[in-house]
Amino acid sequence: MNEYLLEIKEGINMLQIAHVYGNITQKIAEKIGSNGKLDLIDVADIQIARAKEKLKKYDNVEIWKQDASTMIFRKYDVIGVYFLLHEVPDSVKKRIVNNVLNSIEESKGKAVFIDYHEPNFFNPVKPILSLVNTFLEPFANSMWHQEIY
């Protein structure tokens, strides 16, 4: 989370794809400040409702329901995709990544992807995580075997 926040500067125009648990979205809104703008999208009604509740005190935030794999975005200084790609099939993942890359400001924009990667072979969590992914996160293991497009 700290590395992600380092990519966000005061006064930028940012799109956050997918509302996430915890307080990172509030930290983003605070860091961008009143001279910046944060757009937040998600496909899940419950996540939209949670985001609106969490972010109601921020005037620099706009939230709406949208599928990132089908949306044509306007240009942004930063587009953040935080722990989303492991939850979607590869074909959808590719569309999301392409949409993001096509929507960053050409001269100064950046896309920031934060997601899971394969644990080291000797990491004792690897076999447990493989089982968890198999049964609960069926698209996560593909993140271990190929680059995001």
Side-chain angles (χ1 to χ4, degrees), residues 48-72:
I48 295 296
R50 286 180 177 153
K52 286 180 177 179
E53 180 61 30
K54 278 187 193 179
L55 299 163
K56 63 185 172 189
K57 75 175 191 176
Y58 298 98
D59 295 333
N60 62 340
V61 177
E62 186 174 338
I63 303 164
W64 71 92
K65 183 175 181 173
Q66 181 66 54
D67 181 342
S69 70
T70 61
M71 183 176 182
I72 304 297

Side-chain angles (χ1 to χ4, degrees), residues 8 10 12-13 34 38-39 50 64 68 74 83 85-86 89 101 112-113 117 133 136 145 147:
I8 299 163
E10 185 176 353
I12 65 167
N13 183 22
S34 60
L38 173 61
D39 290 342
R50 286 180 177 153
W64 71 92
R74 61 185 179 85
F83 286 101
L85 297 180
H86 74 279
L101 295 178
V112 182
F113 297 92
H117 65 85
N133 286 351
L136 300 176
H145 305 293
E147 298 289 327

Side-chain angles (χ1 to χ4, degrees), residues 20-88:
V20 295
Y21 298 106
N23 64 353
I24 191 164
T25 311
Q26 294 99 311
K27 288 182 178 190
I28 292 169
E30 289 170 10
K31 194 161 184 186
I32 288 173
S34 60
N35 292 327
K37 177 86 167 76
L38 173 61
D39 290 342
L40 172 65
I41 65 168
D42 204 297
V43 296
D45 290 329
I46 192 165
Q47 291 293 59
I48 295 296
R50 286 180 177 153
K52 286 180 177 179
E53 180 61 30
K54 278 187 193 179
L55 299 163
K56 63 185 172 189
K57 75 175 191 176
Y58 298 98
D59 295 333
N60 62 340
V61 177
E62 186 174 338
I63 303 164
W64 71 92
K65 183 175 181 173
Q66 181 66 54
D67 181 342
S69 70
T70 61
M71 183 176 182
I72 304 297
F73 305 119
R74 61 185 179 85
K75 298 294 185 179
Y76 289 92
D77 300 318
V78 175
I79 300 177
V81 184
Y82 192 85
F83 286 101
L84 170 66
L85 297 180
H86 74 279
E87 295 188 10
V88 297

